[in-house]
Amino acid sequence: MSSESHSELECFRQLQQSPEIFELIASHSGTEFQLQKQLREQYPEDVVRAALTLAELRMRGRAKFSRADQMWFDRKSLEQATPEAVSNYKAARFSGSVYDFCCGMGGDLVALAQHAQVTGVDLEPVLCQFARWNSEVYEVVDRVTVINQPLEEVKDREGLLHIDPDRRPHSGGKVIRIEDYRPDLETLLGLIQEFAGGAIKLSPASNFAGKFPGSETELISLNGECKEATVWFGTLAGESEFRATAISKSGEVATIAGHPMDAFCSVTPPGGYLYDPDPAVVRSGLLDVAAAECDLNRLDAEEEYLTSSEPVDSPFFRRFRILDELSNQDRDLKKYFRSADFGQLEIKCRRIPVPIEALRRKLSLKGKGAGVLVIARLDGKSRALVCERE
């Protein structure tokens, strides 16, 4: 362990033994300067800095974790942590004995421990300590072991594997290519051969297509945002090559599996309704498969927006009622909205680049209603559809 890591770890251990500092931060009503002055009279400066940062991160962490107010993380590990709802969904496939390589602060680890005995492995001693403390927060510490060492030194390959490779291995920010992850693609492919089954967490923007033969790639969205691509391999892989899963704000899960060539949707003029697909469906390539299940058609061969004459309910699509169809010309749009009863307007586009804020400033919105303007290709032609949310 480097002297820097040791110093950081000791700082957090002091902080963990001083939980009252967070009560002082929460109850303080003065300025930030006054708060820091008060805390530095009672605690070392590095502990004060760590406490203030962690208090801020715990507030931000509420968007991901139900027990964020008690958890331990730094900025990078919180940013890269899997949201709790996604972790819980994935963990349900696991049982028995599981290794969680690159476990970080333990977001996936504590979810896995609800179903299995888990050994977390990470290079960073501070993150290993966070993972232990977070397993206590989630009351699964009796099913968790955490090891601070390189994953290559873990010789046991019994049981299942979950791994979350580092997508920020350098100071230059996120990397997209799996070959640039740490561990890299070659190592990941080797682990697939060594373990009976498991899951590899990837960025949904990564170049995962064709990289893991014989596996199932699942795109998972949460509240309409695609969070990750999970490669299931070995005994945990499903029968289909691709899967799209949408998790709602209320925790409801919708999933669909198949291959992009399993269905083909016709291109038709707009019906009475327009549908904006969930990004997990789009990124998985299963747009036509999901659309065919709902009897929806495409507006354009290259456009993701779909349409139908009758309203269809599906967790994979947001539905809009089409009010009017216009040309995508500024003069026609200005004329229409001068007399339309809209005071709020959401502007959406996918394949056609639109300077949304510049367009919004050109339109006169003096009414009371809330509308949606969708700029899309309709059978190869750029058009504007005026809609309202259903």
Side-chain angles (χ1 to χ4, degrees), residues 2 19 41 59 142 144 186 202 209 245 247 251 255-256 259 274 318 324 332 347 350 366:
S2 68
E41 291 173 353
M59 292 181 64
D142 60 326
V144 167
E186 182 179 357
L202 306 174
T245 298
I247 305 174
T255 189
I256 186 171
H259 188 278
L274 177 141
R318 285 181 293 176
D324 283 292
D332 292 333
I347 302 176
R350 280 185 174 269
K366 298 180 180 179

Side-chain angles (χ1 to χ4, degrees), residues 224-268:
E225 182 180 351
C226 201
K227 292 297 186 180
E228 70 175 76
T230 306
V231 175
W232 298 98
F233 65 89
T235 58
L236 294 194
E239 295 182 0
S240 298
E241 188 172 348
F242 294 98
R243 179 177 294 275
T245 298
I247 305 174
S248 71
K249 185 178 295 186
S250 63
E252 295 180 359
V253 176
T255 189
I256 186 171
H259 188 278
M261 300 304 292
D262 287 346
F264 176 79
C265 291
S266 301
V267 175
T268 66

